[in-house]
Amino acid sequence: MENKHHVAEQGAAEIPQEAFDWYDDYAHGGMDRRTFMKKLGTLVAIGYSMSVLTSALLPNYALAEQVSFNDDDIVASYQEFDSPKGHGSGRGYLVKPTTEKAHYPVVLVIHENRGLNPYVKDVARRLAKAGYMAFAPDALHPVGGYPGNDDKGRALQKSLDKSKIQHDFVAAARFLKSHPLSNGKLGAVGFCFGGYMVNYLAAIDSHLLSAGVPFYGTPAAEPLRKNIKAPLLIQLGEQDERVNKTWPEYEADLKKADVDYQMYLYKNAKHGFHNDSTGRYDPENAELAWQRTLAFFAKHLR
């Protein structure tokens, strides 16, 4: 595992920032795959290796498994929940510690804009290893679930009604919070689109979350922000210009609403720096951000 990451990090270190910017634009619908690959071709023309470029920029989920699905300390299953205002029903990956307890602190884990991929499932397992019951819904359940491919997943998620997706995650949060094994305190952590969803859940229902950790997520719509009551731990990468430009206005609204928040800006970190399946992964900053996440949840959920 460490050797694979070392190779990925070395390749990523040689790639110019503009390539990561192109990938971010591509990953968020700003350009199609053909245009993205054409732009990478301009780097190949000046001496970069296409294999190094693609291995650093595109995900390799074999790198992301930190906790095996058959780890003795956890038990995982798939659970469905009702979502009457969304797509009718939803489905997600539920992981809890094998140590039997009457109740667990619970955390909703929210994926990026491409469905419940292996990296996000592994994040849920990491939380279960740390003593939480974690639930990772798949926004793509109405269209068959994550298709095993990020490009297809991204296209499928883009095809769905955004308001219905949001309702699905609200329903998932309520399902988890009211679960018979829940201690009634709900945390949420999300990445990219999932970071936005954490901000949205905090804003759409003041009583839903006990703690939220959005990783490089944009804020909820401005009129909703006054409703935020849950403490927030905001995790941003220094080189994430697209998301970071939304922060000053969001921070002003959080202050106005007297929200208990902390924001950490991770030096030289890119958008997606916690995702250990791509070359954007920053091991040192990702580990620091994760330890802060666990400490934050321990403070507010236990």
Coordinates of all heavy atoms in Angstrom, one line a residue, residues 75-154:
V75 N -18.8 -4.6 10.9 CA -19.7 -5.4 10.1 C -20.5 -4.5 9.2 O -20.9 -3.4 9.6 CB -20.7 -6.2 11.0 CG1 -21.4 -5.3 11.9 CG2 -21.6 -7.1 10.2
A76 N -20.6 -4.8 7.9 CA -21.2 -3.9 6.9 C -22.4 -4.6 6.3 O -22.4 -5.8 6.1 CB -20.2 -3.5 5.8
S77 N -23.3 -3.8 5.9 CA -24.5 -4.3 5.2 C -25.1 -3.1 4.3 O -24.7 -2.0 4.5 CB -25.6 -4.8 6.2 OG -26.0 -3.7 7.0
Y78 N -26.0 -3.4 3.5 CA -26.7 -2.4 2.7 C -28.1 -2.3 3.3 O -28.8 -3.2 3.5 CB -26.8 -2.8 1.2 CG -25.4 -2.7 0.5 CD1 -24.6 -3.8 0.4 CD2 -25.0 -1.4 0.0 CE1 -23.3 -3.6 -0.2 CE2 -23.7 -1.3 -0.6 CZ -22.9 -2.4 -0.7 OH -21.7 -2.3 -1.2
Q79 N -28.5 -1.0 3.4 CA -29.8 -0.7 4.0 C -30.6 0.2 3.1 O -30.0 1.2 2.5 CB -29.7 -0.1 5.4 CG -28.9 -1.0 6.4 CD -29.8 -2.1 6.9 OE1 -31.0 -2.0 7.1 NE2 -29.1 -3.3 7.1
E80 N -31.9 0.0 3.0 CA -32.8 0.9 2.3 C -33.5 1.8 3.2 O -33.7 1.5 4.4 CB -33.7 0.1 1.4 CG -33.0 -0.6 0.3 CD -33.9 -1.1 -0.8 OE1 -35.1 -0.8 -0.8 OE2 -33.4 -1.7 -1.8
F81 N -34.0 3.0 2.8 CA -34.7 3.9 3.6 C -35.8 4.6 2.7 O -35.6 4.7 1.5 CB -33.8 4.9 4.3 CG -33.0 5.7 3.3 CD1 -33.4 7.0 2.8 CD2 -31.7 5.3 2.9 CE1 -32.7 7.7 1.9 CE2 -31.0 6.0 2.0 CZ -31.4 7.2 1.5
D82 N -36.8 5.1 3.3 CA -37.9 5.8 2.6 C -37.5 7.2 2.3 O -36.9 7.9 3.2 CB -39.2 5.8 3.4 CG -39.8 4.4 3.5 OD1 -39.6 3.5 2.6 OD2 -40.4 4.1 4.5
S83 N -37.8 7.7 1.1 CA -37.5 9.1 0.8 C -38.7 9.7 0.0 O -38.6 9.8 -1.2 CB -36.2 9.2 0.0 OG -35.9 10.5 -0.4
P84 N -39.8 9.9 0.7 CA -41.1 10.3 -0.1 C -40.9 11.6 -0.8 O -41.6 11.8 -1.9 CB -42.1 10.4 1.1 CG -41.3 10.6 2.3 CD -40.0 9.8 2.1
K85 N -40.1 12.5 -0.4 CA -39.9 13.8 -1.1 C -38.8 13.7 -2.2 O -38.7 14.7 -3.0 CB -39.7 14.9 -0.2 CG -40.8 15.3 0.8 CD -40.5 16.5 1.6 CE -41.7 16.8 2.5 NZ -41.4 18.0 3.4
G86 N -38.1 12.6 -2.1 CA -37.0 12.5 -3.1 C -37.4 11.5 -4.2 O -38.4 11.6 -4.9
H87 N -36.6 10.4 -4.3 CA -36.9 9.4 -5.4 C -37.7 8.2 -4.8 O -37.8 7.2 -5.5 CB -35.5 8.9 -5.9 CG -34.8 9.9 -6.8 ND1 -33.8 10.7 -6.3 CD2 -35.0 10.2 -8.1 CE1 -33.4 11.5 -7.3 NE2 -34.1 11.2 -8.4
G88 N -38.3 8.4 -3.7 CA -39.2 7.4 -3.2 C -38.5 6.5 -2.2 O -39.0 6.2 -1.1
S89 N -37.3 6.0 -2.5 CA -36.5 5.2 -1.6 C -35.1 5.4 -1.9 O -34.7 5.8 -3.0 CB -36.9 3.7 -1.7 OG -36.5 3.2 -3.0
G90 N -34.2 5.1 -0.9 CA -32.8 5.3 -1.1 C -32.1 4.0 -0.5 O -32.7 3.2 0.1
R91 N -30.8 3.9 -0.8 CA -30.0 2.8 -0.3 C -28.6 3.2 0.0 O -28.1 4.1 -0.7 CB -30.0 1.7 -1.4 CG -29.3 0.4 -1.0 CD -29.5 -0.6 -2.2 NE -29.0 -1.9 -1.8 CZ -27.9 -2.4 -2.2 NH1 -27.0 -1.7 -2.9 NH2 -27.5 -3.7 -1.9
G92 N -28.1 2.6 1.0 CA -26.7 3.0 1.4 C -26.0 1.9 2.1 O -26.5 0.8 2.4
Y93 N -24.7 2.2 2.4 CA -23.8 1.2 3.0 C -23.7 1.5 4.5 O -23.2 2.6 4.8 CB -22.4 1.4 2.3 CG -21.3 0.5 2.6 CD1 -21.4 -0.9 2.3 CD2 -20.1 1.0 3.1 CE1 -20.3 -1.7 2.6 CE2 -19.0 0.2 3.3 CZ -19.2 -1.2 3.1 OH -18.1 -2.0 3.3
L94 N -24.1 0.6 5.3 CA -24.1 0.8 6.8 C -23.0 0.0 7.4 O -23.0 -1.2 7.2 CB -25.5 0.4 7.3 CG -25.7 0.7 8.8 CD1 -25.9 2.2 9.1 CD2 -26.9 -0.1 9.3
V95 N -22.2 0.6 8.2 CA -21.1 -0.1 8.8 C -21.1 0.3 10.3 O -21.1 1.4 10.7 CB -19.7 0.3 8.2 CG1 -18.6 -0.7 8.5 CG2 -19.8 0.5 6.7
K96 N -20.9 -0.7 11.1 CA -20.9 -0.5 12.6 C -19.8 -1.4 13.2 O -19.3 -2.4 12.6 CB -22.2 -0.8 13.2 CG -22.6 -2.2 13.3 CD -23.9 -2.4 14.0 CE -24.3 -3.8 14.3 NZ -23.4 -4.4 15.3
P97 N -19.3 -1.0 14.4 CA -18.3 -1.9 15.0 C -18.9 -3.2 15.4 O -20.2 -3.3 15.6 CB -18.0 -1.0 16.3 CG -18.4 0.4 16.0 CD -19.6 0.2 15.1
T98 N -18.1 -4.2 15.5 CA -18.6 -5.5 15.9 C -18.8 -5.6 17.4 O -19.6 -6.4 17.9 CB -17.7 -6.7 15.5 OG1 -16.3 -6.3 15.9 CG2 -17.7 -6.9 14.0
T99 N -18.2 -4.7 18.1 CA -18.4 -4.6 19.6 C -19.9 -4.2 19.8 O -20.3 -3.1 19.4 CB -17.5 -3.6 20.2 OG1 -16.1 -3.9 19.9 CG2 -17.7 -3.6 21.7
E100 N -20.6 -5.0 20.5 CA -22.0 -4.8 20.7 C -22.2 -3.7 21.8 O -21.7 -3.8 22.9 CB -22.8 -6.0 21.2 CG -22.8 -7.1 20.1 CD -23.7 -6.7 18.9 OE1 -24.5 -5.8 19.0 OE2 -23.4 -7.2 17.8
K101 N -23.0 -2.7 21.4 CA -23.4 -1.6 22.3 C -24.9 -1.3 22.1 O -25.4 -1.6 21.0 CB -22.6 -0.3 22.0 CG -21.1 -0.4 22.3 CD -20.4 0.8 21.9 CE -20.8 2.0 22.8 NZ -20.0 3.2 22.5
A102 N -25.5 -0.8 23.1 CA -26.9 -0.4 23.0 C -27.1 0.7 22.0 O -28.1 0.7 21.2 CB -27.5 0.0 24.4
H103 N -26.1 1.7 22.0 CA -26.2 2.8 21.0 C -24.8 3.2 20.6 O -23.9 3.1 21.4 CB -27.0 4.0 21.7 CG -28.4 3.7 22.1 ND1 -28.7 3.3 23.4 CD2 -29.5 3.6 21.4 CE1 -30.0 3.1 23.4 NE2 -30.5 3.3 22.2
Y104 N -24.8 3.8 19.4 CA -23.5 4.3 18.9 C -23.7 5.8 18.4 O -24.8 6.1 18.0 CB -23.1 3.5 17.6 CG -22.9 2.1 17.8 CD1 -23.9 1.1 17.6 CD2 -21.6 1.6 18.2 CE1 -23.7 -0.2 17.8 CE2 -21.4 0.2 18.3 CZ -22.5 -0.7 18.1 OH -22.3 -2.0 18.3
P105 N -22.7 6.6 18.5 CA -22.7 7.8 17.8 C -22.8 7.5 16.3 O -22.1 6.6 15.8 CB -21.4 8.5 18.2 CG -20.5 7.4 18.6 CD -21.4 6.3 19.2
V106 N -23.5 8.3 15.5 CA -23.7 8.0 14.1 C -23.2 9.1 13.2 O -23.3 10.3 13.5 CB -25.2 7.6 13.8 CG1 -25.6 6.4 14.6 CG2 -26.1 8.8 14.2
V107 N -22.7 8.7 12.0 CA -22.1 9.7 11.1 C -22.6 9.3 9.7 O -22.4 8.2 9.2 CB -20.6 9.7 11.1 CG1 -20.0 10.7 10.1 CG2 -20.1 10.0 12.5
L108 N -23.2 10.3 9.0 CA -23.5 10.2 7.6 C -22.3 10.5 6.8 O -21.7 11.6 7.0 CB -24.7 11.1 7.3 CG -25.4 10.9 6.0 CD1 -26.3 9.7 6.0 CD2 -26.3 12.1 5.6
V109 N -22.0 9.7 5.8 CA -20.8 9.9 4.9 C -21.3 10.2 3.5 O -22.1 9.3 3.0 CB -19.9 8.6 4.9 CG1 -18.7 8.9 4.1 CG2 -19.5 8.3 6.4
I110 N -21.0 11.3 3.0 CA -21.6 11.7 1.7 C -20.5 11.8 0.6 O -19.5 12.5 0.7 CB -22.3 13.1 1.9 CG1 -23.2 13.0 3.1 CG2 -23.1 13.4 0.6 CD1 -23.9 14.3 3.4
H111 N -20.8 11.1 -0.5 CA -19.8 11.0 -1.6 C -19.7 12.3 -2.4 O -20.4 13.2 -2.2 CB -20.2 9.8 -2.4 CG -21.6 9.9 -3.0 ND1 -21.9 10.8 -4.0 CD2 -22.7 9.1 -2.8 CE1 -23.2 10.6 -4.4 NE2 -23.7 9.6 -3.7
E112 N -18.8 12.2 -3.4 CA -18.6 13.2 -4.3 C -19.7 13.2 -5.4 O -20.7 12.6 -5.2 CB -17.2 13.1 -5.0 CG -16.1 13.0 -4.0 CD -15.0 12.0 -4.3 OE1 -15.4 10.9 -4.6 OE2 -13.8 12.3 -4.2
N113 N -19.5 13.8 -6.5 CA -20.5 14.0 -7.5 C -20.5 12.8 -8.5 O -20.8 13.0 -9.7 CB -20.4 15.3 -8.3 CG -19.1 15.4 -9.1 OD1 -18.1 14.6 -8.8 ND2 -19.1 16.2 -10.1
R114 N -20.3 11.6 -8.0 CA -20.2 10.5 -8.9 C -20.7 9.2 -8.3 O -20.5 8.1 -8.8 CB -18.8 10.3 -9.4 CG -17.8 10.0 -8.3 CD -16.4 10.6 -8.6 NE -16.4 12.0 -8.6 CZ -15.3 12.8 -8.7 NH1 -14.2 12.2 -8.8 NH2 -15.4 14.1 -8.6
G115 N -21.4 9.3 -7.2 CA -22.0 8.1 -6.6 C -21.1 7.5 -5.5 O -20.0 8.0 -5.2
L116 N -21.5 6.4 -5.0 CA -20.9 5.8 -3.8 C -19.7 4.9 -4.3 O -19.9 3.7 -4.5 CB -21.9 4.9 -3.0 CG -21.4 4.3 -1.8 CD1 -20.8 5.2 -0.8 CD2 -22.5 3.5 -1.1
N117 N -18.6 5.5 -4.5 CA -17.4 4.8 -5.0 C -16.7 4.1 -3.9 O -16.9 4.3 -2.7 CB -16.5 5.7 -5.9 CG -16.0 6.9 -5.1 OD1 -15.7 6.8 -4.0 ND2 -15.9 8.0 -5.8
P118 N -15.7 3.2 -4.2 CA -15.0 2.5 -3.2 C -14.3 3.4 -2.1 O -14.1 3.0 -1.0 CB -14.0 1.7 -4.0 CG -14.6 1.5 -5.3 CD -15.3 2.8 -5.6
Y119 N -13.8 4.5 -2.5 CA -13.1 5.4 -1.6 C -14.0 5.8 -0.5 O -13.7 5.8 0.7 CB -12.5 6.6 -2.3 CG -12.4 7.9 -1.5 CD1 -11.5 8.0 -0.4 CD2 -13.2 9.0 -1.8 CE1 -11.4 9.2 0.3 CE2 -13.1 10.2 -1.1 CZ -12.2 10.3 0.0 OH -12.1 11.4 0.7
V120 N -15.3 6.2 -0.8 CA -16.2 6.7 0.2 C -16.7 5.6 1.1 O -16.9 5.8 2.3 CB -17.4 7.5 -0.5 CG1 -18.4 7.9 0.5 CG2 -16.8 8.7 -1.3
K121 N -16.9 4.4 0.5 CA -17.2 3.2 1.3 C -16.1 3.0 2.4 O -16.3 2.6 3.5 CB -17.4 2.0 0.5 CG -18.7 2.1 -0.4 CD -18.8 1.0 -1.4 CE -19.1 -0.3 -0.8 NZ -19.3 -1.4 -1.9
D122 N -14.8 3.1 1.9 CA -13.7 2.9 2.9 C -13.7 4.0 4.0 O -13.4 3.6 5.1 CB -12.4 3.0 2.1 CG -11.3 2.4 2.9 OD1 -11.2 1.2 3.1 OD2 -10.4 3.2 3.4
V123 N -14.1 5.2 3.7 CA -14.2 6.2 4.7 C -15.3 5.8 5.8 O -15.0 5.9 7.0 CB -14.6 7.6 4.1 CG1 -14.9 8.6 5.2 CG2 -13.5 8.1 3.2
A124 N -16.4 5.2 5.3 CA -17.4 4.7 6.3 C -16.8 3.6 7.1 O -17.0 3.6 8.4 CB -18.6 4.2 5.5
R125 N -16.0 2.7 6.5 CA -15.3 1.7 7.3 C -14.3 2.2 8.3 O -14.2 1.7 9.5 CB -14.7 0.6 6.4 CG -15.7 -0.2 5.6 CD -15.0 -1.4 4.9 NE -14.0 -1.0 4.0 CZ -14.2 -0.9 2.6 NH1 -15.5 -1.0 2.2 NH2 -13.2 -0.6 1.8
R126 N -13.6 3.3 7.9 CA -12.7 3.9 8.9 C -13.4 4.5 10.1 O -12.9 4.4 11.2 CB -11.9 5.1 8.1 CG -11.0 4.6 7.0 CD -10.5 5.8 6.2 NE -10.2 5.4 4.8 CZ -9.7 6.3 3.9 NH1 -9.5 7.5 4.2 NH2 -9.5 5.8 2.7
L127 N -14.6 5.1 9.9 CA -15.3 5.6 11.0 C -15.8 4.5 11.9 O -15.8 4.6 13.1 CB -16.5 6.4 10.5 CG -16.2 7.8 10.0 CD1 -17.3 8.4 9.1 CD2 -15.9 8.7 11.1
A128 N -16.3 3.4 11.3 CA -16.7 2.2 12.1 C -15.5 1.7 12.9 O -15.7 1.3 14.1 CB -17.3 1.1 11.2
K129 N -14.3 1.6 12.4 CA -13.1 1.2 13.1 C -12.9 2.2 14.3 O -12.3 1.7 15.3 CB -11.9 1.2 12.2 CG -11.8 0.0 11.3 CD -11.3 -1.2 12.0 CE -9.8 -1.1 12.2 NZ -9.2 -2.4 12.7
A130 N -13.3 3.4 14.2 CA -13.1 4.4 15.2 C -14.3 4.4 16.2 O -14.3 5.2 17.1 CB -12.9 5.8 14.6
G131 N -15.3 3.5 16.1 CA -16.3 3.4 17.1 C -17.7 4.0 16.7 O -18.6 4.0 17.5
Y132 N -17.8 4.5 15.5 CA -19.1 5.1 15.0 C -19.9 4.1 14.2 O -19.3 3.2 13.5 CB -18.8 6.3 14.2 CG -18.1 7.4 15.0 CD1 -16.7 7.4 15.0 CD2 -18.8 8.3 15.7 CE1 -16.0 8.4 15.8 CE2 -18.1 9.3 16.5 CZ -16.7 9.3 16.5 OH -16.1 10.3 17.3
M133 N -21.2 4.3 14.1 CA -22.0 3.6 13.1 C -22.1 4.6 12.0 O -22.6 5.7 12.1 CB -23.3 3.3 13.6 CG -24.1 2.5 12.6 SD -25.6 1.7 13.3 CE -26.7 3.1 13.5
A134 N -21.6 4.2 10.8 CA -21.5 5.1 9.6 C -22.5 4.6 8.5 O -22.6 3.4 8.3 CB -20.1 5.2 9.1
F135 N -23.1 5.6 7.9 CA -24.0 5.2 6.8 C -23.7 6.1 5.6 O -23.6 7.3 5.7 CB -25.4 5.5 7.2 CG -26.5 5.0 6.2 CD1 -26.5 3.8 5.7 CD2 -27.5 5.9 5.8 CE1 -27.4 3.3 4.8 CE2 -28.5 5.5 4.9 CZ -28.4 4.2 4.4
A136 N -23.4 5.5 4.4 CA -23.0 6.2 3.2 C -24.0 5.9 2.1 O -24.0 4.8 1.5 CB -21.6 5.7 2.8
P137 N -25.0 6.8 1.9 CA -26.0 6.6 0.9 C -25.4 6.8 -0.5 O -24.4 7.4 -0.7 CB -27.0 7.8 1.2 CG -26.6 8.3 2.5 CD -25.2 8.0 2.7
D138 N -26.1 6.2 -1.4 CA -25.7 6.3 -2.9 C -26.8 7.1 -3.6 O -27.9 6.6 -3.8 CB -25.5 4.9 -3.5 CG -24.9 4.9 -4.9 OD1 -24.8 6.0 -5.4 OD2 -24.6 3.8 -5.4
A139 N -26.4 8.3 -4.0 CA -27.4 9.1 -4.7 C -27.8 8.4 -6.0 O -28.9 8.8 -6.6 CB -26.8 10.5 -5.0
L140 N -27.0 7.5 -6.5 CA -27.4 6.8 -7.8 C -28.3 5.6 -7.7 O -28.5 4.9 -8.7 CB -26.1 6.4 -8.5 CG -25.1 7.6 -8.8 CD1 -23.9 7.0 -9.6 CD2 -25.7 8.7 -9.5
H141 N -28.7 5.3 -6.5 CA -29.6 4.2 -6.3 C -30.8 4.2 -7.2 O -31.2 3.2 -7.8 CB -30.1 4.2 -4.8 CG -31.2 3.1 -4.6 ND1 -30.9 1.8 -4.7 CD2 -32.5 3.3 -4.2 CE1 -32.1 1.1 -4.4 NE2 -33.0 2.0 -4.1
P142 N -31.5 5.4 -7.5 CA -32.6 5.4 -8.4 C -32.3 4.9 -9.8 O -33.2 4.6 -10.6 CB -33.1 6.9 -8.4 CG -32.5 7.4 -7.1 CD -31.2 6.7 -6.9
V143 N -31.0 5.0 -10.2 CA -30.6 4.6 -11.6 C -29.7 3.4 -11.5 O -28.8 3.2 -12.4 CB -29.9 5.8 -12.3 CG1 -31.0 6.8 -12.7 CG2 -28.8 6.4 -11.5
G144 N -29.8 2.6 -10.5 CA -29.1 1.3 -10.4 C -27.8 1.3 -9.6 O -27.2 0.3 -9.4
G145 N -27.5 2.5 -9.0 CA -26.3 2.5 -8.1 C -25.1 2.9 -8.8 O -25.0 3.0 -10.1
Y146 N -24.0 3.1 -8.0 CA -22.7 3.4 -8.6 C -22.3 2.4 -9.7 O -22.3 1.2 -9.4 CB -21.6 3.5 -7.5 CG -20.2 3.8 -8.0 CD1 -19.9 5.0 -8.5 CD2 -19.3 2.7 -8.0 CE1 -18.6 5.2 -9.0 CE2 -18.0 3.0 -8.4 CZ -17.6 4.2 -9.0 OH -16.4 4.4 -9.4
P147 N -22.0 2.8 -10.9 CA -21.8 1.9 -12.0 C -20.4 1.3 -12.1 O -20.1 0.5 -13.0 CB -22.0 2.7 -13.2 CG -21.6 4.1 -12.8 CD -21.9 4.2 -11.3
G148 N -19.5 1.6 -11.1 CA -18.2 1.0 -11.1 C -17.2 1.8 -11.9 O -16.0 1.5 -12.1
N149 N -17.6 3.0 -12.4 CA -16.8 3.9 -13.2 C -17.2 5.3 -12.9 O -18.4 5.7 -13.0 CB -17.1 3.5 -14.7 CG -16.4 4.5 -15.7 OD1 -16.8 5.6 -15.8 ND2 -15.4 4.0 -16.3
D150 N -16.2 6.1 -12.6 CA -16.5 7.5 -12.2 C -17.1 8.3 -13.3 O -17.9 9.2 -13.1 CB -15.2 8.2 -11.7 CG -15.0 7.9 -10.2 OD1 -15.5 6.9 -9.7 OD2 -14.2 8.6 -9.6
D151 N -16.6 8.2 -14.6 CA -17.2 8.9 -15.6 C -18.7 8.7 -15.8 O -19.5 9.6 -15.9 CB -16.5 8.6 -17.0 CG -15.2 9.4 -17.1 OD1 -15.0 10.3 -16.3 OD2 -14.4 9.0 -18.0
K152 N -19.1 7.4 -15.8 CA -20.5 7.0 -15.9 C -21.2 7.5 -14.7 O -22.4 8.0 -14.8 CB -20.6 5.5 -16.1 CG -20.1 5.0 -17.4 CD -20.3 3.5 -17.5 CE -19.7 3.0 -18.8 NZ -19.8 1.5 -18.9
G153 N -20.6 7.4 -13.5 CA -21.3 7.8 -12.3 C -21.5 9.3 -12.3 O -22.6 9.7 -11.9
R154 N -20.6 10.1 -12.7 CA -20.7 11.5 -12.8 C -21.9 11.9 -13.7 O -22.7 12.8 -13.4 CB -19.4 12.1 -13.3 CG -19.3 13.6 -13.2 CD -18.0 14.2 -13.7 NE -16.9 13.7 -12.9 CZ -16.0 12.8 -13.3 NH1 -16.0 12.3 -14.6 NH2 -15.0 12.4 -12.5

